[in-house]
Amino acid sequence: FRVSAMLSRLSQCRVSHLATPFSRHISMSQTLSAGSVAVERKGDVAVLKMNIQGAKENTLNEQLSSDLRSAIEQVEKDDSVKAVVLMSGKPGSFVAGADIGMLKKAKTVEEAAKLSREGQQQFDRLEKLKKPVVAAVMGSCMGGGLELAMACHYRIAVADKKTQMALPEVMLGLLPGAGGTVRLPKLVSVPNALDMMLTGKKVKADKAKKMGLVNQVIQPLGDGLKPASEATHEYLEKVAIDAARDLASGKLKATKEKGFIEKATTALTTNALMLDNVILKMAKDKVMKMSMGNYPAPLKILEVIRTGLVKGHDEGLLHESKAFGELCKRNETAALMGLFNGSTECKKNKFGQGKEVKEIAVIGAGLMGAGIVNVSIDKGYRSVMLDTNEAGVERGVGQITSQLNGRHKKKRLSLLDKERFMSNLVPTTDYADIANSDLVIEAVFEDIGIKHKVIQQIESVVRPGTIIATNTSALPISQIAKGSKNPEQIIGMHYFSPVDKMQLLEIITHEGTSKEALATATAVGLKQGKLVVVVKDCPGFFTVRCLGPMMAEAVRLMQEGVTPAELDKLTKEHGWPVGAATLADEVGIDVAAHVATFLGQSFGERMKGADGLLKEMIDAGFKGRKTGKGIFVYGSGKKGEKKANEDSIKILQKYKLAPKASVSSKSDRQLRIISRFVNEALMCLEEGIIASPSDGDIASVFGLGFPPFWGGPFRFVDLYGADKLVGDMNRYAAEYGIAFKPCNLLVQYAKSGEKFYK
Amino acid sequence: MLRAVSRSSQCAARAASTAPAGSQKGPNIVLVDSVRTPFVTSGTLFKDMMAVDLQKEALRGLIRKTGVDYKLIDHVICGTVIQECKTSNIAREAALLAGFPDKIPCHTVTLACISSNVAMTEAMGMLSTGYANAVIAGGTELLSDVPIRYNRKARKAMLGIQKAKTPMAKLQIGAEIVKNLLSPELPAVAEFTSGETMGHSGDRLAATFGVSRREQDEFAIRSHTLAEAAARGGKMSDIVPVFVDGKKPVTVKADNGIRVSTLEKLSTLKPAFVKPHGTVTAANASFLTDGASAALIMTEEYALANGFKPKAYLRGYQYVAQDPKDQLLLSPAYVIPKIIEKSGLKLSDIDVFEIHEAFAGQVLANLNALDSDHFCKTFMGRSGKFGRLDMEKINRWGGSLSIGHPFGATGVRLATHAAGRLKEEKGRYAVIAACAAGGHGVGMLIEAYGK
């Protein structure tokens, strides 16, 4: 199944990267007993080492906060201490963020604001300490962790992959609440500060040094007298102690004297006139364009930054804590936090390790096949990419090469790694080359006859026991498995296009799929960096089954006279990253028609759509983006402009329907689209296709672009209200019939007031 | 080994010492003699010469010193690193200039700082297979001049100008050339795959193995002190004087990079690569050097049959390679146990070590590595540490830090010093070890002749 690249561009795709540091620790804050801050003396320098016992990462929880407070008081009072180094006792984690559990305890806006206030006060105290404090950063330094480091007087960071600095609060629907919005714009330029806070992007040490976020960088050491991370950690400590001592003696200055240009730039970018009319205005326009105003946090961040810059430190902090409190209690925040937790769940392998996989073969070197190979070779799998003809293979190699080259150009991939990854690739047209593969993924055309033929061909060359996965978007796995000698080895792996950007992998088991096959496919998917949702077999599985009725509704709207451009606007404003009309073109009208017909046959009246209309478009050659014409006409070039396709509008007019006035307001139209998706998702849970509401929400957001601020269809029901939704759907059902009949589960929740997330 | 003994009754008596167990098969191979030009700080005395000139001097010097007849020489191999493209097979050009007959085949090899080791070991291979009886192995480097190129865009335009048909097209290309004139390409100083300079890697290595700045500075002073003493004591007898023509002609007779300094002076220097907290400085790193070397290598039988008195046996060699980033300069630690053990010897059997000094910190890091249980277990699959080498056995005539390090020439210098020291210190076995870019390294086992 192919969803546009645009989906991935939206920041929510980054959401899950951040999930780890935050969500993992919720349970840990309570289990602590030992002190989490050790104070070690190295001559006249006190080294404070934060180390939450038993946890992989440090998080700023109640215990660490209070231990840190007493440690700071201790070194403040001790006259023999001339300087302080603040670091982690763990090589892999400075402080990965604030403890999300603390936020959950805050019941009201005021309580949440108070939490922020306390954090601010603690960091202020640290900043005002008369002795120089050096933050020695190695490992993740995010959110509250970075705010802590910024309150220190000097920062040294290790230039390794794990050491990343970020303020990712925006992805949770929040803003940095412990002085981050005030301190960051003082350390780095305002545009850089905006970039970090509005996108949550991670910055590595070298970049941070260039930006001014850190003062000194240390290159990591290799393994030698002890493992590399330990050696580097000790080296960092030594260098930090020297720096602290030099700061105390005045040999080293924490802030460099700014040059004229720098001074002028700072003056220019921090005055109210400039901020209001240029910098923040531009940022706000961009935020509005990206978020359609659906996300409150970025806008709040802009307001708060302004206060800090224009009215100063104290006012800035006050505004920050107030805004933080407000954001904490927003629905969007609950939804985004839910996605964090859900995506963390989907990164766990619940099925064991399965078969050892060294080599993967992918049949079909199309966009999807090559994409799957792409995310396999760069995880160390030797991967055979097979296509029926040389031209196909060459196209696939080209796709992978340009993806890797792009990463190399952006310095995200070294030359050596890039070429080593390419060495894992075995392009071929010969089935004999897949003989030793441990897992074969077929990504050929969606036709049951072809799929059967390919499976037989695979089985004729591979070793017995080889797992064969089929990358289909709709065909039931049980039917595909009928073409196999070993149906227990057949499993569905439904990737989303473009594979290197879309995070979801929907794994489908049929009744007979072996546990080993499931465990193996899951392990491979996770190693490929995917969020894995395992679903049961049914036509369309979970994702396409939910998308089907939604697209049918979109087509109906167009039949009712909504122009494609209007439809796009309507859906985007409602939070879909890609407009529904554009999405249909990206998917391909032929594919959409194929799926629609198939779903209609499988599920009857509820899913029936305008088959005739789609068929006529296909006959006219309007198959969507790939043919240059679909609902829209596409200009040449990679990002050719698109215009309405007059001819397809003529076809639409042939199938014209009269709009029903009572359900055709803008909000009704938006709700008609989303409610059919939601209803179908609930039915999937009812039928046991998906295991949990969380799985359904993750699959919907990360696979299909369900509006992230709603957190997915199940969170939508919770936040919107099941009873309200049933009321709306009944209104629609009165006009359109069964398509809007609320499913039993929804009706039940409406009656009981129960929620999917407690 | 026994074969070698039985081959010639003449040598049987003298070569009573047979090769240690496990070293290579084939005839006994001997280092007959070797020479080098003075090693001179780049940009000084040899600054107007070419690398080929220095190699020529070394080859000519070797012929003069040994008196070997050209007829006896089967092949010439020279090593070099920074190539002058006019003399890409520099061995051939130097041999011709040195008066060698044109019937002797010559070729050039390269493996960074151990290029002349490659020349020597390849010579050993030629002798072992019976292809040759006598080979000259040498190497040269001239860092006073390096090929600085127009950048790729300018080069592309230059190559394209001949194809341009119209004046307009020519003009366009001309503009492209002019545009790119001022951003030339320098020869790479960084590792190709990691992008890290050797000095930076060396600094990290020193930190990894806990080598302090003071230890590095002390080792650098040691190197200079020993080199100065060796020079004064006439130990550098392998140097052949080089006559440099010009307005003020001069004959260069000695190395000019040796200068003994004090710890106080060295400790004031700022780090050269890792700033501000690094430990490698200009004084505890080897400096850019111009120089060349050459060695005459024969089978023992052939040498004796032709009336030569060999200096030492070349018993065996071992190359290693590892991670070009974190272990770029760590090859000596890997190769020393390997070469010793594969020869059936123990650490205590080795009387002389000649270890290439790229950086003081790098040599000391290697010594610490060999003395580390963690390192020896994790990376060399040993049950525990190999042990610390006796500092008294290492580089007693100075090393690359003080004498200098012309990349392509150092290998032969190490072998010469090893052989010379064996004789002077009355030892039997010497091991030379050196690291090279790419994470490479070489070890060679040398045995005193006639002991």
Side-chain angles (χ1 to χ4, degrees):
Chain A
F1 189 81
R2 182 164 187 268
V3 178
S4 145
M6 280 177 262
L7 267 182
S8 62
R9 252 171 253 149
L10 218 84
S11 58
Q12 64 265 21
C13 284
R14 290 211 199 126
V15 160
S16 65
H17 295 296
L18 297 155
T20 350
F22 280 92
S23 37
R24 185 180 297 157
H25 314 282
I26 298 168
S27 60
M28 275 159 187
S29 52
Q30 274 80 33
T31 61
L32 298 164
S33 52
S36 55
V37 179
V39 181
E40 295 170 13
R41 283 297 296 269
K42 299 282 158 79
D44 52 3
V45 177
V47 181
L48 273 47
K49 284 188 182 161
M50 303 175 283
N51 194 353
I52 296 181
Q53 302 302 318
K56 212 169 151 193
E57 304 243 22
N58 285 330
T59 41
L60 264 182
N61 54 23
E62 283 165 26
Q63 159 115 37
L64 181 58
S65 282
S66 92
D67 289 350
L68 200 55
R69 189 174 304 128
S70 30
I72 290 168
E73 276 167 23
Q74 184 191 328
V75 297
E76 189 170 25
K77 274 184 248 156
D78 188 341
D79 286 340
S80 67
V81 173
K82 298 289 176 240
V84 182
V85 169
L86 178 63
M87 64 189 296
S88 168
K90 304 176 195 295
S93 167
F94 180 73
V95 174
D99 179 12
I100 228 175
M102 301 206 306
L103 290 183
K104 286 204 166 163
K105 278 195 210 150
K107 295 277 176 258
T108 62
V109 169
E110 290 71 31
E111 277 179 41
K114 188 168 159 261
L115 264 180
S116 155
R117 204 75 206 121
E118 285 166 4
Q120 291 175 346
Q121 282 159 1
Q122 185 175 357
F123 290 177
D124 265 3
R125 223 170 292 146
L126 176 63
E127 193 175 40
K128 283 180 190 140
L129 201 69
K130 293 279 181 290
K131 304 167 182 179
V133 184
V134 174
V137 180
M138 181 175 175
S140 37
C141 175
M142 319 264 253
L146 181 55
E147 293 180 287
L148 172 62
M150 287 195 292
C152 297
H153 306 118
Y154 193 85
R155 281 155 296 281
I156 305 178
V158 175
D160 63 357
K161 279 183 187 158
K162 272 188 120 180
T163 303
Q164 296 181 319
M165 281 152 273
L167 292 175
E169 288 85 350
V170 68
M171 294 187 192
L172 283 167
L174 297 171
L175 53 72
T181 64
V182 176
R183 287 197 179 92
L184 185 61
K186 282 188 194 150
L187 289 173
V188 308
S189 71
V190 177
N192 276 335
L194 287 172
D195 192 23
M196 280 186 74
M197 280 192 255
L198 293 177
T199 65
K201 87 174 191 196
K202 297 176 198 166
V203 179
K204 290 191 188 151
D206 286 323
K207 182 84 190 295
K209 171 92 181 2
K210 265 186 208 145
M211 288 167 63
L213 187 54
V214 303
N215 306 73
Q216 196 173 328
V217 173
I218 285 181
Q219 298 299 324
L221 302 184
D223 197 334
L225 298 176
K226 52 191 71 170
S229 63
E230 276 177 46
T232 307
H233 198 239
E234 282 177 19
Y235 182 47
L236 171 67
E237 181 177 345
K238 188 180 156 292
V239 172
I241 289 171
D242 288 346
R245 207 165 272 148
D246 288 350
L247 281 168
S249 72
K251 197 171 149 195
L252 182 68
K253 291 267 178 283
T255 44
K256 265 194 207 149
E257 187 64 26
K258 280 185 178 174
F260 173 74
I261 307 255
E262 265 179 291
K263 274 186 194 158
T265 318
T266 311
L268 201 63
T269 53
T270 53
N271 75 61
L273 205 69
M274 193 68 181
L275 283 172
D276 293 344
N277 294 309
V278 184
I279 299 168
L280 293 181
K281 186 168 174 287
M282 275 168 63
K284 190 171 175 181
D285 289 348
K286 206 170 169 192
V287 166
M288 286 305 288
K289 207 176 151 203
M290 296 279 291
S291 70
M292 297 284 171
N294 287 321
Y295 297 83
L299 298 172
K300 277 278 181 227
I301 288 172
L302 293 178
E303 288 174 22
V304 173
I305 286 182
R306 185 190 184 280
T307 309
L309 285 172
V310 177
K311 298 190 177 162
H313 188 84
D314 294 342
E315 292 271 331
L317 288 187
L318 211 60
H319 195 176
E320 180 187 89
S321 58
K322 196 168 153 270
F324 183 84
E326 286 164 19
L327 288 175
C328 267
K329 294 292 132 192
R330 298 276 305 221
N331 278 347
E332 294 85 353
T333 306
L336 292 172
M337 284 194 186
L339 287 176
F340 272 166
N341 294 339
S343 55
T344 312
E345 268 316 292
C346 291
K347 283 179 190 163
K348 290 181 189 155
N349 186 350
K350 300 152 196 145
F351 310 100
Q353 270 307 302
K355 241 169 87 100
E356 192 195 1
V357 175
K358 284 189 177 149
E359 184 181 297
I360 294 176
V362 178
I363 313 299
L367 194 62
M368 186 65 96
I372 298 170
V373 172
N374 198 339
V375 299
S376 305
I377 54 171
D378 64 4
K379 309 299 180 315
Y381 290 118
R382 182 183 144 93
S383 308
V384 185
M385 180 169 71
L386 185 142
D387 206 296
T388 45
N389 58 67
E390 292 284 352
V393 173
E394 207 175 292
R395 199 215 64 80
V397 172
Q399 177 185 327
I400 294 167
T401 308
S402 66
Q403 197 262 9
L404 292 177
N405 282 344
R407 284 160 67 191
H408 174 57
K409 254 189 204 150
K410 286 181 190 154
K411 294 191 176 166
R412 294 196 182 134
L413 192 61
S414 73
L415 171 76
L416 190 59
D417 282 343
K418 185 189 92 172
E419 294 305 329
R420 280 186 173 158
F421 295 159
M422 278 313 273
S423 309
N424 286 334
L425 174 66
V426 185
T428 185
T429 56
D430 184 356
Y431 268 89
D433 288 336
I434 70 166
N436 292 320
S437 296
D438 306 291
L439 168 70
V440 183
I441 304 171
E442 68 78 16
V444 299
F445 189 69
E446 296 266 19
D447 177 285
I448 191 78
I450 296 177
K451 296 258 185 208
H452 280 170
K453 218 185 265 167
V454 165
I455 286 179
Q456 278 145 22
Q457 209 159 358
I458 294 168
E459 286 181 339
S460 71
V461 287
V462 297
R463 292 178 299 220
T466 301
I467 291 158
I468 301 177
T470 166
N471 176 59
T472 171
S473 50
L475 297 173
I477 308 302
S478 55
Q479 270 187 41
I480 294 177
K482 279 185 188 141
S484 161
K485 280 189 289 188
N486 307 304
E488 73 280 1
Q489 248 115 256
I490 304 286
I491 192 165
M493 289 176 88
H494 179 199
Y495 290 87
F496 292 74
S497 194
V499 182
D500 59 318
K501 298 224 170 68
M502 297 297 288
Q503 281 184 285
L504 187 69
L505 169 62
E506 188 179 25
I507 289 184
I508 309 105
T509 57
H510 68 90
E511 294 256 314
T513 301
S514 71
K515 278 183 186 158
E516 188 193 50
L518 173 58
T520 308
T522 306
V524 168
L526 290 173
K527 195 165 167 192
Q528 287 171 333
K530 299 292 164 200
L531 298 174
V532 176
V533 172
V534 177
V535 308
K536 289 217 179 98
D537 197 17
C538 76
F541 323 128
F542 174 75
T543 48
V544 174
R545 183 172 155 183
C546 293
L547 191 67
M550 170 190 158
M551 292 310 284
E553 197 57 32
V555 172
R556 171 147 60 197
L557 284 174
M558 288 194 284
Q559 287 175 278
E560 288 182 353
V562 177
T563 67
E566 280 167 359
L567 178 62
D568 269 4
K569 190 159 176 270
L570 198 76
T571 37
K572 281 177 81 169
E573 281 178 3
H574 205 223
W576 297 89
V578 180
T582 303
L583 183 60
D585 270 358
E586 292 284 339
V587 168
I589 303 296
D590 52 338
V591 176
H594 181 80
V595 171
T597 312
F598 174 68
L599 290 178
Q601 283 164 1
S602 310
F603 296 104
E605 193 55 31
R606 186 175 88 237
M607 294 266 196
K608 280 259 158 62
D611 288 1
L613 179 142
L614 294 178
K615 186 167 181 303
E616 215 166 301
M617 282 188 63
I618 297 164
D619 290 345
F622 306 149
K623 292 186 186 171
R625 179 69 185 251
K626 59 191 166 193
T627 53
K629 276 182 183 178
I631 297 171
F632 297 101
V633 184
Y634 298 87
S636 54
K638 235 185 172 178
K639 287 178 182 168
E641 49 178 334
K642 71 184 178 197
K643 285 180 289 196
N645 180 0
E646 296 302 330
D647 295 326
S648 72
I649 289 181
K650 271 180 205 148
I651 299 175
L652 271 170
Q653 267 159 2
K654 265 169 75 181
Y655 290 85
K656 197 172 164 186
L657 298 172
K660 320 263 182 182
S662 63
V663 292
S664 292
S665 71
K666 183 172 159 191
S667 61
D668 274 335
R669 282 172 167 163
Q670 288 171 333
L671 204 55
R672 275 163 58 189
I673 287 184
I674 207 164
S675 64
R676 287 191 68 177
F677 187 117
V678 171
N679 200 36
E680 201 64 38
L682 264 62
M683 267 187 254
C684 286
L685 182 65
E686 220 169 40
E687 294 171 22
I689 302 298
I690 49 172
S692 68
S694 173
D695 274 1
D697 281 348
I698 293 298
S700 303
V701 172
F702 291 96
L704 303 170
F706 193 96
F709 66 92
W710 282 118
F714 295 93
R715 179 80 63 177
F716 177 87
V717 173
D718 281 0
L719 296 177
Y720 186 80
D723 50 344
K724 209 170 140 206
L725 184 60
V726 167
D728 289 322
M729 288 186 72
N730 282 335
R731 273 196 302 128
Y732 308 147
E735 300 288 356
Y736 299 111
I738 190 160
F740 284 100
K741 184 174 175 282
C743 69
N744 294 338
L745 189 64
L746 181 57
V747 173
Q748 183 197 317
Y749 270 56
K751 273 187 196 149
S752 65
E754 215 180 318
K755 302 251 181 210
F756 289 107
Y757 294 93
K758 269 111 204 167
Chain B
M1 326 141 229
L2 288 173
R3 216 174 98 213
V5 178
S6 61
R7 264 193 181 180
S8 152
S9 55
Q10 192 185 0
C11 70
R14 301 175 81 177
S17 95
T18 52
S23 64
Q24 46 233 69
K25 309 278 185 291
N28 281 332
I29 294 168
V30 292
L31 173 68
V32 174
D33 210 342
S34 51
V35 300
R36 63 180 178 93
T37 69
F39 285 0
V40 161
T41 309
S42 295
T44 62
L45 298 163
F46 294 159
K47 66 177 190 292
D48 295 323
M49 299 176 81
M50 288 175 76
V52 70
D53 296 327
L54 294 178
Q55 186 67 74
K56 169 199 71 187
E57 295 290 343
L59 292 176
R60 202 181 267 159
L62 184 68
I63 298 293
R64 283 182 188 149
K65 188 176 181 196
T66 58
V68 64
D69 190 337
Y70 291 124
K71 276 192 312 210
L72 299 181
I73 296 163
D74 298 306
H75 204 108
V76 176
I77 313 168
C78 296
T80 194
V81 180
I82 305 289
Q83 301 211 12
E84 160 63 58
C85 27
K86 284 182 203 158
T87 56
S88 57
N89 183 5
I90 202 164
R92 177 62 168 174
E93 316 310 343
L96 291 175
L97 295 187
F100 283 46
D102 55 15
K103 294 286 186 286
I104 302 173
C106 313
H107 78 274
T108 302
V109 293
T110 190
L111 208 179
C113 306
I114 55 177
S115 293
S116 59
N117 296 90
V118 176
M120 282 190 286
T121 58
E122 199 168 332
M124 291 166 75
M126 288 178 167
L127 299 174
S128 295
T129 57
Y131 156 72
N133 292 312
V135 180
I136 290 178
T140 181
E141 207 71 43
L142 184 114
L143 296 171
S144 292
D145 179 36
V146 293
I148 297 172
R149 304 191 289 178
Y150 288 108
N151 67 28
R152 183 80 187 243
K153 279 183 190 156
R155 300 199 309 264
K156 194 176 162 194
M158 287 168 179
L159 293 170
I161 205 153
Q162 282 120 351
K163 286 183 193 152
K165 295 272 187 301
T166 63
M168 197 53 211
K170 283 199 165 100
L171 208 65
Q172 269 174 357
I173 291 177
E176 181 73 14
I177 295 173
V178 172
K179 215 166 70 193
N180 287 292
L181 276 186
L182 289 179
S183 47
E185 262 177 37
L186 302 173
V189 286
E191 259 314 279
F192 182 69
T193 53
S194 71
E196 187 182 27
T197 61
M198 199 171 267
H200 196 284
S201 189
D203 201 317
R204 287 195 302 115
L205 190 75
T208 304
F209 285 93
V211 182
S212 70
R213 165 75 185 267
R214 190 188 167 90
E215 286 172 312
Q216 295 179 45
D217 287 347
E218 280 170 355
F219 187 81
I221 291 173
R222 171 191 191 269
S223 179
H224 282 275
T225 312
L226 291 173
E228 194 189 41
R232 211 182 293 129
K235 311 275 165 54
M236 309 289 197
S237 57
D238 55 336
I239 296 180
V240 292
V242 173
F243 175 74
V244 184
D245 200 8
K247 274 183 191 161
K248 287 184 193 160
V250 59
T251 300
V252 183
K253 292 177 185 158
D255 305 326
N256 75 350
I258 305 170
R259 60 193 75 133
V260 181
S261 184
T262 63
L263 202 56
E264 290 66 44
K265 256 188 195 162
L266 293 200
S267 62
T268 60
L269 289 176
K270 289 221 162 104
F273 302 98
V274 173
K275 291 163 188 169
H277 51 271
T279 52
V280 174
T281 67
N284 59 37
S286 56
F287 51 90
L288 296 183
T289 313
D290 303 337
S293 59
L296 179 59
I297 300 173
M298 293 184 181
T299 60
E300 182 180 29
E301 184 185 0
Y302 196 70
L304 296 177
N306 288 288
F308 292 103
K309 186 173 181 302
K311 290 240 153 100
Y313 291 107
L314 301 180
R315 285 303 189 194
Y317 60 88
Q318 177 70 46
Y319 286 91
V320 292
Q322 42 277 329
D323 174 15
K325 181 152 178 61
D326 289 337
Q327 303 197 338
L328 181 69
L329 306 170
L330 210 48
S331 286
Y334 281 91
V335 85
I336 288 171
K338 264 194 180 167
I339 184 80
I340 292 177
E341 283 168 4
K342 88 171 194 179
S343 311
L345 298 173
K346 302 186 299 295
L347 177 57
S348 56
D349 293 329
I350 310 302
D351 306 298
V352 165
F353 282 99
E354 276 297 322
I355 302 176
H356 166 51
E357 300 168 348
F359 303 92
Q362 165 262 333
V363 176
L364 297 173
N366 275 283
L367 299 183
N368 287 356
L370 286 171
D371 199 28
S372 154
D373 282 324
H374 174 79
F375 180 83
C376 292
K377 276 184 193 166
T378 315
F379 293 99
M380 299 202 289
R382 306 182 67 89
S383 55
K385 62 186 179 188
F386 178 71
R388 187 161 280 281
L389 311 190
D390 183 354
M391 193 54 101
E392 283 304 301
K393 293 180 177 178
I394 301 172
N395 302 1
R396 290 192 52 181
W397 291 0
S400 298
L401 285 171
S402 46
I403 298 167
H405 173 40
F407 305 152
T410 289
V412 169
R413 200 269 300 158
L414 290 171
T416 312
H417 278 205
R421 281 182 54 203
L422 277 178
K423 195 171 174 205
E424 184 183 276
E425 294 166 27
K426 303 195 168 45
R428 177 158 181 197
Y429 291 112
V431 163
I432 67 181
C435 56
H440 286 103
V442 69
M444 291 178 76
L445 181 71
I446 294 175
E447 185 182 349
Y449 194 81
K451 186 169 166 87

